[in-house]
Amino acid sequence: MLYTLKTAERERDGRETSFGHPHLPGGEDSRDIVDAIRPQVGDSVLVAKRFSAFAGTRLRRRLAELGRDQPVIGGVFARTQVLLAAADAWMQDMEPFVVADAVADRAHDDHRMAVDWIAATCGAVRTVRGVVDVFGDPVPQHR
């Protein structure tokens, strides 16, 4: 498993907040990962500098080391982080899979727009069940 988090730091010139881009409220505690999907020993956690999980990280290199070119993407802020990570993966000759019922956004319309755009332009959109059908169940029983 590879995890990426968007850095909590704000852009110095205010670009991030001036255009109304979403961010998690509060400090480091707001970025905690729930126990059910918390990184385990052997998992990688990368911190992205921009909305795409590939921005300023070694995610592309790590996927190549693992022999993977089909990232499965889930997370918060479908219209920014998820959408841009999927588009970035596709532009790097990967085949991204976005898990529609494992991504969230502030409003249903934002979620719908993101998954519709991804499906129409750059990635496969599946449910958790659909991803398990394609790839098998990757979650060890101890989680």
Side-chain angles (χ1 to χ4, degrees):
M1 287 282 233
L2 300 172
Y3 294 80
T4 60
L5 300 170
K6 167 79 173 62
T7 181
E9 295 176 16
R10 301 282 181 255
E11 296 291 332
R12 287 188 183 137
D13 63 7
R15 286 180 293 161
E16 188 172 303
T17 55
S18 64
F19 292 113
H21 295 297
H23 62 276
L24 295 173
E28 290 297 311
D29 292 342
S30 66
R31 296 183 338 161
D32 281 349
I33 299 171
V34 297
D35 288 339
I37 60 171
R38 185 174 311 285
Q40 304 292 313
V41 173
D43 293 343
S44 296
V45 178
L46 307 169
V47 179
K49 294 181 180 179
R50 299 279 188 267
F51 292 128
S52 171
F54 292 91
T57 69
R58 55 185 193 88
L59 179 57
R60 174 72 167 128
R61 184 173 46 235
R62 186 72 181 113
L63 289 169
E65 289 168 0
L66 295 169
R68 304 287 186 215
D69 65 355
Q70 295 177 307
V72 177
I73 302 169
V76 286
F77 300 126
R79 74 185 182 282
T80 52
Q81 283 91 333
V82 173
L83 186 149
L84 291 172
D88 205 355
W90 180 79
M91 289 186 286
Q92 296 182 52
D93 298 321
M94 291 186 227
E95 184 182 2
F97 283 75
V98 172
V99 188
D101 53 351
V103 300
D105 215 306
R106 291 181 179 168
H108 174 74
D109 289 345
D110 293 332
H111 179 274
R112 179 86 265 149
M113 178 281 301
V115 296
D116 286 349
W117 186 89
I118 291 164
T121 60
C122 65
V125 175
R126 302 285 187 271
T127 61
V128 169
R129 180 79 252 153
V131 169
V132 169
D133 289 346
V134 170
F135 294 104
D137 189 356
V139 181
Q141 296 304 313
H142 71 275
R143 283 196 180 191

